[in-house]
Amino acid sequence: MSNKIQSIRGMNDLLPENSPLWQFVEGVMRSTLKEYGYQEIRMPIVEKTELFKRSIGEVTDIVEKEMYTFEDRNGDSLTLRPEGTAGCVRAVIENSLLRGQAQRLWYMGPMFRHERPQRGRYRQFHQMGVEVFGLEGPDVDAELIAISARIWQQLGIDSVTLQVNSLGSAHSRERYRNILVEYFKGHQDKLDKDSLRRLESNPLRILDSKNPEMQSVIEQAPVLEDSLDEEDLLHFEQLKTTLDSMNIGYEVNPRLVRGLDYYGRTVFEWVTDLLGAQGTICAGGRYDGLVEQIGGKATTAVGFAIGLERLVELMREQSLSFGEEKPHAYLVLAGEQATSVGLGVAEMIRSAVPGLRLITNLGGGSFKTQFKRADRSGARLALVIGDDEAASGMVTIKDLHGKSEQQTVSVDDVANILSRYN
Ligand code: HAM
């Protein structure tokens, strides 16, 4: 007896019963982005480790503790992408997409982080990310927030709130950093080991600590807002005014700092309290310095990513329904002759009625068995070809919901009748 091989902890299968909801959610996102004129880009799942270190930041939870990093057969250090922004920036530089034009891009796919798995937090999860290059904002920042808001609206989600903050320009953050180091140095006895280490390398990260014993020293820390310069403040003010004019409600959360180093100025998160501890379903912000940092020409940029597992979970929490698509018809093929002509007839019907969802009975079985399968499939109609029908080129149509009379018609007429159901 051999042992069963199991999946990796925190990496889930998406089962067929759940895929209609995922497809619905993905479809809404695709069509919304198309309506705003955004184009899809697909990047590899594996990148050089260096890319993530340089963009997300050496002193972040992701880079320090969560990356799936390995050496490939050439001895190069590679990493399964923990997020999509870094790869997207690499791709737009490498493919010269930034020459004198703005780019509005999106991507969707799996990301990998070695976190402790729990509800809403997985080791393989999926994001739909949007990135815009070459527009300084804050109009584009506002548009991105409007896109996310429209996606919630299309999905029927009404249990999320928007938090916004400005982290200021690199210059303002440097000033704030010094103030913060001074403050935390005065309270070193209250800092845990991680934070003491970060005091020199990345003091802003200390504000992100979830350690309950540090919450009061964090709460009393100076706020970044006081270090913002005039241009930062104007950018942030204009973002808020635009959100107001678009009727999008928000809370300013001065403690919102984000877990990745590349952000400056606008940052935002959509949060819900229906999902327990992992309540952020979407997060993003501006990262004006990153393109240059990765070796491209200085280009402003802003984006966000939605966590699909959390979004789908939230839809379930809100008991949202969606148009589940059952088959229109199930083709019952009884008798030897019927089976051999049946598949040919099925193909003719498919060509004649585009979009028809038709399941063909495969693997034989008695009339009774096949009708049971037809019922179980949820199909509205059974199309029946027995040996009589096969010989005369006819098909019998039976309404499985019993609403109309059974009728036997020619193959050509089947197509006509079915197009009415489609
Ligand atoms: P992030 O905040 O690290 O940002 O992730 C964005 C979203 O991905 C989170 O709000 C959450 O919904 C989902 N997520 C993150 N980690 C997990 C996990 N372990 N399990 C399930 N869901 C998770 C970014 O990744 C940035 N690249 C977003 C961005 C794009 N900023 C600018 N452009």
Side-chain angles (χ1 to χ4, degrees):
M1 212 179 74
S2 61
N3 288 330
K4 265 191 243 153
I5 297 178
Q6 296 199 314
S7 68
I8 296 165
R9 199 161 107 84
M11 303 203 181
N12 303 312
D13 300 308
L14 172 60
L15 299 180
E17 59 179 348
N18 296 325
S19 56
L21 178 53
W22 278 74
Q23 286 175 0
F24 172 67
V25 168
E26 290 167 3
V28 163
M29 295 196 289
R30 277 176 213 280
S31 59
T32 305
L33 285 155
K34 199 181 204 173
E35 285 158 20
Y36 280 84
Y38 287 59
Q39 293 177 299
E40 183 180 6
I41 181 166
R42 299 188 188 187
M43 299 84 66
I45 286 169
V46 184
E47 298 271 0
K48 294 198 174 138
T49 305
E50 186 61 21
L51 174 69
F52 301 115
K53 285 194 176 166
R54 246 159 76 184
S55 49
I56 298 169
E58 297 262 8
V59 191
T60 55
D61 279 348
I62 296 180
V63 170
E64 286 184 332
K65 306 178 194 162
E66 297 170 0
M67 294 206 300
Y68 281 89
T69 297
F70 59 97
E71 258 188 25
D72 77 354
R73 288 170 190 279
N74 305 328
D76 294 329
S77 179
L78 306 183
T79 294
L80 298 185
R81 62 182 187 193
E83 57 106 51
T85 307
C88 189
V89 169
R90 196 240 348 110
V92 293
I93 298 171
E94 191 167 335
N95 296 288
S96 313
L97 300 187
L98 299 179
R99 289 209 187 113
Q101 55 179 332
Q103 290 286 349
R104 298 166 164 87
L105 305 172
W106 66 269
Y107 51 83
M108 190 142 47
M111 308 290 162
F112 303 84
R113 297 184 193 176
H114 195 275
E115 297 191 81
R116 199 168 50 80
Q118 54 176 268
R119 182 185 185 198
R121 194 205 267 164
Y122 310 100
R123 290 184 173 171
Q124 174 172 329
F125 60 98
H126 297 77
Q127 285 185 345
M128 195 285 289
V130 183
E131 316 288 355
V132 177
F133 297 93
L135 296 169
E136 261 184 74
D139 50 358
V140 58
D141 311 31
E143 176 170 282
L144 287 177
I145 291 174
I147 291 175
S148 53
R150 188 167 296 280
I151 291 172
W152 315 146
Q153 186 227 327
Q154 306 266 2
L155 294 174
I157 288 175
D158 57 8
S159 54
V160 284
T161 52
L162 172 65
Q163 302 198 341
V164 294
N165 191 23
S166 173
L167 302 184
S169 62
H171 185 66
S172 310
R173 270 201 315 291
E174 186 55 34
R175 201 167 36 221
Y176 178 57
R177 185 194 148 103
N178 295 336
I179 296 171
L180 209 55
V181 170
E182 201 141 304
Y183 168 79
F184 281 126
K185 274 193 174 154
H187 296 82
Q188 288 203 29
D189 51 324
K190 302 203 181 77
L191 301 184
D192 60 18
K193 226 172 70 204
D194 258 0
S195 302
L196 280 172
R197 194 166 42 83
R198 289 176 173 185
L199 193 52
E200 294 304 331
S201 52
N202 198 343
L204 262 79
R205 273 284 92 74
I206 301 178
L207 299 173
D208 225 10
S209 166
K210 302 283 181 290
N211 184 347
E213 281 160 28
M214 282 177 43
Q215 292 316 303
S216 84
V217 68
I218 289 174
E219 262 159 41
Q220 283 157 36
V223 291
L224 176 61
E225 207 180 347
D226 297 335
S227 299
L228 300 190
D229 63 26
E230 236 169 79
E231 270 183 70
D232 293 337
L233 288 171
L234 187 65
H235 195 275
F236 194 35
E237 272 316 306
Q238 282 174 346
L239 170 67
K240 290 187 279 185
T241 318
T242 314
L243 290 176
D244 290 337
S245 86
M246 293 191 299
N247 247 327
I248 297 176
Y250 56 84
E251 269 166 38
V252 175
N253 175 2
R255 304 268 161 214
L256 185 65
V257 292
R258 309 277 301 118
L260 305 92
D261 278 354
Y262 47 62
Y263 293 110
R265 290 203 167 152
T266 310
V267 287
F268 65 94
E269 292 192 354
W270 286 94
V271 293
T272 175
D273 47 22
L274 293 184
L275 293 181
Q278 308 302 321
T280 306
I281 61 160
C282 170
R286 187 158 272 289
Y287 50 96
D288 291 336
L290 186 58
V291 175
E292 195 175 18
Q293 206 176 306
I294 299 299
K297 217 176 96 205
T299 307
T300 57
V302 55
F304 69 82
I306 298 174
L308 299 191
E309 280 78 4
R310 293 185 193 175
L311 182 61
V312 165
E313 177 76 14
L314 183 57
M315 290 198 56
R316 288 217 187 86
E317 241 355 275
Q318 278 194 228
S319 310
L320 290 169
S321 59
F322 60 100
E324 199 185 343
E325 295 187 329
K326 301 229 156 87
H328 296 109
Y330 188 101
L331 180 58
V332 171
L333 301 171
E336 233 167 76
Q337 222 194 331
T339 312
S340 60
V341 298
L343 263 73
V345 174
E347 289 310 306
M348 276 169 55
I349 295 176
R350 287 181 212 281
S351 303
V353 192
L356 181 77
R357 293 188 294 279
L358 172 66
I359 297 184
T360 304
N361 187 80
L362 300 173
S366 68
F367 260 116
K368 201 174 149 205
T369 312
Q370 294 195 35
F371 268 100
K372 263 196 203 148
R373 291 179 192 148
D375 273 331
R376 221 183 304 134
S377 77
R380 168 78 194 274
L381 301 173
L383 308 181
V384 186
I385 303 183
D387 281 339
D388 287 350
E389 283 94 348
S392 56
M394 306 289 272
V395 177
T396 298
I397 305 178
K398 190 171 172 347
D399 188 339
L400 292 171
H401 297 182
K403 292 203 181 102
S404 50
E405 287 287 298
Q406 174 171 319
Q407 47 182 328
T408 300
V409 298
S410 73
V411 171
D412 288 344
D413 286 344
V414 175
N416 277 335
I417 295 170
L418 290 182
S419 42
R420 272 187 254 138
Y421 285 93
N422 192 8

